Amino acid sequence: MSDDSPAPTTTSEHPRPSAEDGATTPAPAAAPDGGSAVPAAGAGQRGTVQVAPGLYKRLTSGLGGFATAIAACLLLVGVIFIITPRSNKELLPTVDYGSQEWALAHSGPYQAWGPKGLPAGWRATSARLHGLGEKGKPVAWHLGFVTPSGQYAALEESNEKAKDYVPRMTNSKAAIGTRAVAGITWDTYYRRDKKANSLARTLKDGVSIVVTGTATYDELAVLAASLKPLDKNDTSIVTPAPTQRS
């Protein structure tokens, strides 16, 4: 045999340890920053993923912690709602209608009427004057009041045709009776669904005057009795009372 033949190659195999051979899998290592290490599967080997403590807590706390936090927030909101002072009374401003009264008395196309000497407790809260200086259009004046009993009463007057104006202001098509106020007869109206009481009369010059609102007929009669013809030489700016606050 020739010595030129290649020498035989020998290989040494080292089998992987198995559970049967007594090998054990190391436990997950702790994260350096205090978090927990989560095992991660790799290609033929096992490793760990570092998880921050806050994230680990959120991942493991579940819905219990979330529900507790929501309940605490709702409890805090409820406590704040209970201890916060509230008022159910609507705050209405006090208005000065003196300038409108003066303008209507001096420039209006008809003899205007306005309240004079209303008792204490009546407070003007709204005033509107329409049509003054507009050729061919009727002039209308509105004054709204809060009465001493806390109800609403308004003066509405205009030289618009009575057959159109009165039903619109009283919210009713027909009178239900009459009432004498300071020796003057007024027609009475009532609108059940709006709980509106009204007194109305139309003067000889065609001007209609209506007092209406949620106030009783007795309170409306007080407003009606206070109405006097506005004299150009006797109108002045009305200084409003301080706004009532509750």
Side-chain angles (χ1 to χ4, degrees):
M1 178 179 294
S2 172
D3 293 335
D4 296 332
S5 300
T9 303
T10 60
T11 60
S12 176
E13 296 183 359
H14 299 281
R16 295 181 180 178
S18 63
E20 296 178 355
D21 297 333
T24 59
T25 302
D33 57 356
S36 299
V38 180
Q45 61 178 2
R46 293 183 178 181
T48 58
V49 175
Q50 304 299 328
V51 178
L55 177 60
Y56 181 78
K57 184 177 181 180
R58 288 194 296 271
L59 291 174
T60 57
S61 62
L63 294 177
F66 177 76
T68 301
I70 292 296
C73 290
L74 293 176
L75 179 61
L76 178 61
V77 171
V79 171
I80 294 175
F81 178 81
I82 292 174
I83 66 176
T84 300
R86 295 177 301 278
S87 175
N88 294 325
K89 294 182 179 179
E90 184 179 4
L91 297 180
L92 296 174
T94 299
V95 301
D96 181 349
Y97 59 85
S99 59
Q100 294 183 8
E101 183 182 62
W102 187 92
L104 185 58
H106 285 75
S107 305
Y110 59 85
Q111 172 61 65
W113 293 66
K116 297 293 181 181
L118 277 171
W122 285 77
R123 186 166 62 90
T125 57
S126 60
R128 294 185 296 273
L129 180 59
H130 296 290
L132 192 64
E134 299 181 29
K135 187 176 181 180
K137 290 187 177 182
V139 174
W141 192 31
H142 157 86
L143 287 180
F145 295 88
V146 171
T147 71
S149 67
Q151 296 299 314
Y152 175 72
L155 163 66
E156 311 285 354
E157 68 176 68
S158 177
N159 61 341
E160 182 182 347
K161 291 181 179 179
K163 66 181 183 64
D164 298 323
Y165 186 73
V166 173
R168 190 168 72 251
M169 293 299 104
T170 60
N171 290 293
S172 183
K173 294 181 179 180
I176 61 172
T178 60
R179 179 174 181 136
V181 178
I184 298 175
T185 300
W186 294 69
D187 293 325
T188 57
Y189 296 81
Y190 177 64
R191 178 70 178 268
R192 183 182 299 275
D193 59 337
K194 293 183 178 292
K195 297 180 180 180
N197 301 317
S198 302
L199 300 175
R201 69 187 183 109
T202 300
L203 308 181
K204 293 180 179 180
D205 60 359
V207 175
S208 296
I209 300 177
V210 178
V211 289
T212 184
T214 59
T216 64
Y217 287 110
D218 288 341
E219 284 190 310
L220 293 179
V222 172
L223 178 57
S226 74
L227 299 179
K228 302 293 187 292
L230 297 182
D231 187 347
K232 293 182 179 181
N233 299 318
D234 191 35
T235 54
S236 59
I237 302 300
V238 176
T239 302
T243 300
Q244 295 180 359
R245 298 186 180 275
S246 57

